[in-house]
């Protein structure tokens, strides 16, 4: 059924406006998930999720470790090493945890031995 203005009647009895799909898509506005600013057409053509800067998040995480009062400074050093490693090599699934642990040991074995952090 069609109404006087050419709109189709829905099953519930109301009228549904016709949409021109090509004009609706061209009028769509996209925003950056990081900044909230409007994106240009060129920016919408490529994925920017890989360009995320985590340096601020890492510095905040490391400073929060210093807020712990019930752990020793050696434990804090170990936690900071592990946190910085996880930010560098994030495990995307449980099966990658052993690989990330091996990389941590390869990367920081000398620091762990020099500062005697291996028992923390």
């Amino acid at each position: 059924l069609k109404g006087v203005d050419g709109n189709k009647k829905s099953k519930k009895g109301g009228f549904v406006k016709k949409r021109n799909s090509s004009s609706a898509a061209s009028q769509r506005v996209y925003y950056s998930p990081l900044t909230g600013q409007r994106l240009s057409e060129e920016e919408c053509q490529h994925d920017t999720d890989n360009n995320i800067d985590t340096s601020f998040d890492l510095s905040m995480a490391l400073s929060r470790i210093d807020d712990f009062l019930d752990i020793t400074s050696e434990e804090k050093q170990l936690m900071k090493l592990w946190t910085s490693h996880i930010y560098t090599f994030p495990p995307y699934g449980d099966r990658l945890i052993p690989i990330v642990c091996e990389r941590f040991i390869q990367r920081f074995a000398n620091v762990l031995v020099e500062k005697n952090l291996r028992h923390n």
Side-chain angles (χ1 to χ4, degrees):
L1 295 173
K2 289 188 179 181
V4 179
D5 55 357
N7 293 332
K8 290 185 178 181
K9 190 169 185 177
S10 71
K11 291 181 182 179
K12 295 183 180 179
F15 286 98
V16 178
K17 281 190 168 186
K18 285 183 180 179
R19 291 188 202 168
N20 186 352
S21 62
S22 64
S23 67
S26 66
Q27 295 175 358
R28 185 168 284 163
V29 178
Y30 295 98
Y31 296 91
S32 168
L34 298 175
T35 63
Q37 294 181 347
R38 192 176 189 168
L39 297 175
S40 66
E41 276 192 46
E42 295 93 29
E43 291 172 318
C44 292
Q45 300 303 320
H46 59 86
D47 186 16
T48 60
D49 287 342
N50 294 333
N51 300 336
I52 297 173
D53 181 21
T54 59
S55 61
F56 178 75
D57 295 333
L58 176 59
S59 66
M60 290 303 296
L62 295 177
S63 69
R64 278 189 233 121
I65 292 172
D66 287 328
D67 294 340
F68 284 104
L69 300 174
D70 58 344
I71 60 175
T72 65
S73 63
E74 291 83 13
E75 290 171 328
K76 288 180 185 181
Q77 288 176 355
L78 180 62
M79 290 172 67
K80 286 181 179 183
L81 288 174
W82 178 253
T83 302
S84 64
H85 180 71
I86 289 297
Y87 271 83
T88 307
F89 303 104
Y92 296 109
D94 293 344
R95 64 184 181 89
L96 295 177
I97 295 293
I99 297 168
V100 172
C101 289
E102 287 176 9
R103 280 188 179 174
F104 176 76
I105 292 170
Q106 291 169 354
R107 189 175 170 197
F108 294 113
N110 57 350
V111 176
L112 296 174
V113 172
E114 286 174 6
K115 295 186 178 185
N116 200 20
L117 301 176
R118 54 193 185 131
H119 296 293
N120 291 310

